[in-house]
Amino acid sequence: MKKGTFISLIIILTLVTGISFVTPALAVVAGGHLEVTDITGTTAAFSASYNEMIKPIEKGACWDTTDNPNPTRENCFGQTPVANNGGMIEGLSPNTSYNFVIYSILADGDVLYSRSSDMVTFTTTPEEPTTTTTTTETTTTTTGTATTTTTTGGTTTTTLTTTITTTTTVPSGNKYTISATSGENGSIDPAGDIPLDEGTNWYFLMNPHPGYKVADVTVDGESQGARTTYAFQNVSDNHTIHVTFETSTETQYTIKATSGENGSISPLGDIVVNKGEDRTFIMAPDVGYKVADVTIDGKSEGPKTSHTFTDVMKNYEIHVTFVPLSGGTQYTINATAGEGGSIGPPGSVLVNEGESKAFSMYMETGYIVENVLVDEQSMGPIENYTFPNVTANHTIHVTFKKSGVTYIITATSEENGSISPSGQIQVPEGESQTFTIYHSCGYIVDDILVDNKSVGSVSTYTFPSVIKNHSIHATFTFPGVCLPGDANDDGKITLEDVIYNLQVISGKIEN
């Protein structure tokens, strides 16, 4: 997830001259909206709504005549960058049909992928009549007539009359915000208020500083445990996410990742890795370039597009350089994942002809790989897959299922109080378990020991995202005189005390 700086970019472009296209073509762009409008004999405009999880390293558009059924940025007739305030399709021929696509190349932490819109087909006008287009968040119809005339020797001749009817629909859609914050000694990426369209999936990365680790991640105030990633699926409401960090006693190493011009490496910079862990790096060439070489501690590893350091036991340096493609062919591998995990790199991944591409499956806590489908063929519950010598487009999809693993939390207490639930409590892997401590009349909680370490005189304790066995033990002390029926020890008996005592008698709660 499976990073980098995320962005939601809305681009609306409208041409002010000429349109004879009866119904603008629409297509989806990476979860957004694409439309070709205002078509004349030689130009057209397009509008696009980008819903990218990661800041694009390139955004562009390309087109060709319908003789080219699949225009890409490598083989199309014309290209233009997509700027913040718009872009134009220019240099077209009158009365000609074109195929048009808009694309973005994205880099995200450990992943690199490309997203391209569905293709739009449109036809230019025989001439260039004049009209205007109104675009709103509802369906709008604009009708106009343009007439071109010439006068010779007092005789006026009408050469073209065009009636234009344009229907433009821009979906309004619901908008939501995820507010992402972090404590000291680390960060969350992306951070701040993230605006999202309804139904969007969104991912966050927790990045501890050297010498620290994730302590807890809370979503809407509820603990999700000490995790380094979190995914919001099918957003339909506002949310908050917050991460805290604590000192790590584990041995840590640093991998210094750098790149030359005309490409990038992800992640970039000084990357902290715990002793014995693995870390993958992805090489991302710019458009028109490919990987020339990857060096590890100064030694060549060849022109690879990814490299994984396994069982890290020392510091490393990794550096990548790039060279022009020289007209090489590229193919697309569409990588997707179901709930319970992610695949890296995800999305539409570009691969140079003849190169290999590796994919890794990442499970959320409490899940395992159920199956991996490559070109619709089952590969079984594998965690890594490599496409060797790519010479065609491919697909890869991974599904996950609950691991079925459970852990035991042993909950006990001394006399003069109780803990609920008590005994040997089974908890599914990755889930949380809360315990409540009750004291007898005249007593208070003295201390709570979690895995034999004091957490103070708390009345409740939650084990977040359980991934091992635990123990919890409660002790009590007698500070004063017991007033029978005084359940909350405030020195008097109230209706609240009566209700509590009746619940104890009825067995609804433990005393």
Side-chain angles (χ1 to χ4, degrees), residues 341-378:
S342 60
I343 187 171
S348 299
V349 181
L350 290 179
V351 183
N352 295 324
E353 185 175 29
E355 291 185 353
S356 299
K357 191 63 179 179
F359 291 83
S360 297
M361 321 307 157
Y362 302 102
M363 296 76 71
E364 295 180 0
T365 302
Y367 287 85
I368 59 175
V369 174
E370 180 179 38
N371 194 20
V372 173
L373 295 175
V374 174
D375 297 332
E376 304 300 327
Q377 298 296 313
S378 174

Side-chain angles (χ1 to χ4, degrees), residues 207-287:
N207 303 311
H209 291 167
Y212 292 87
K213 63 181 180 179
V214 175
D216 192 24
V217 174
T218 58
V219 174
D220 299 332
E222 297 290 332
S223 173
Q224 305 299 314
R227 55 197 304 165
T228 56
T229 64
Y230 188 84
F232 288 92
Q233 303 286 344
N234 192 27
V235 173
S236 60
D237 202 351
N238 296 322
H239 295 283
T240 62
I241 181 171
H242 182 76
V243 56
T244 55
F245 303 92
E246 63 185 1
T247 302
S248 175
T249 58
E250 300 180 54
T251 302
Q252 296 180 324
Y253 298 100
T254 300
I255 301 177
K256 186 178 183 64
T258 58
S259 74
E261 296 181 349
N262 305 311
S264 62
I265 187 172
S266 297
L268 174 68
D270 294 335
I271 309 303
V272 176
V273 183
N274 290 330
K275 178 181 178 180
E277 290 187 350
D278 300 343
R279 186 64 170 180
T280 298
F281 291 81
I282 304 296
M283 325 310 162
D286 291 342
V287 176

Side-chain angles (χ1 to χ4, degrees), residues 96 148 505:
T96 303
T148 302
I505 294 172

Side-chain angles (χ1 to χ4, degrees), residues 46-189:
F46 59 90
S47 62
S49 167
Y50 284 88
N51 289 330
E52 304 292 4
M53 294 188 300
I54 310 161
K55 181 180 180 180
I57 61 176
E58 178 192 346
K59 301 190 300 291
C62 60
W63 61 90
D64 207 340
T65 64
T66 50
D67 292 335
N68 180 357
N70 185 29
T72 69
R73 68 184 196 283
E74 286 77 35
N75 68 6
C76 62
F77 170 77
Q79 290 190 27
T80 184
V82 178
N84 287 337
N85 294 321
M88 291 288 297
I89 310 172
E90 299 178 329
L92 305 176
S93 299
N95 201 26
T96 303
S97 295
Y98 289 90
N99 289 329
F100 172 76
V101 295
I102 187 170
Y103 62 86
S104 60
I105 306 299
L106 312 179
D108 176 21
D110 286 347
V111 304
L112 169 76
Y113 58 99
S114 167
R115 288 188 175 177
S116 179
S117 69
D118 294 338
M119 186 172 64
V120 171
T121 301
F122 66 93
T123 302
T124 53
T125 65
E127 299 292 341
E128 296 188 26
T130 301
T131 189
T132 59
T133 300
T134 302
T135 302
T136 66
E137 290 193 350
T138 57
T139 300
T140 303
T141 301
T142 303
T143 303
T145 302
T147 304
T148 302
T149 62
T150 58
T151 303
T152 305
T155 301
T156 300
T157 304
T158 300
T159 58
L160 176 66
T161 300
T162 306
T163 300
I164 307 140
T165 302
T166 302
T167 303
T168 303
T169 302
V170 178
S172 56
N174 294 323
K175 301 285 185 179
Y176 299 102
T177 299
I178 299 178
S179 297
T181 56
S182 66
E184 296 180 350
N185 304 313
S187 62
I188 187 172
D189 194 2

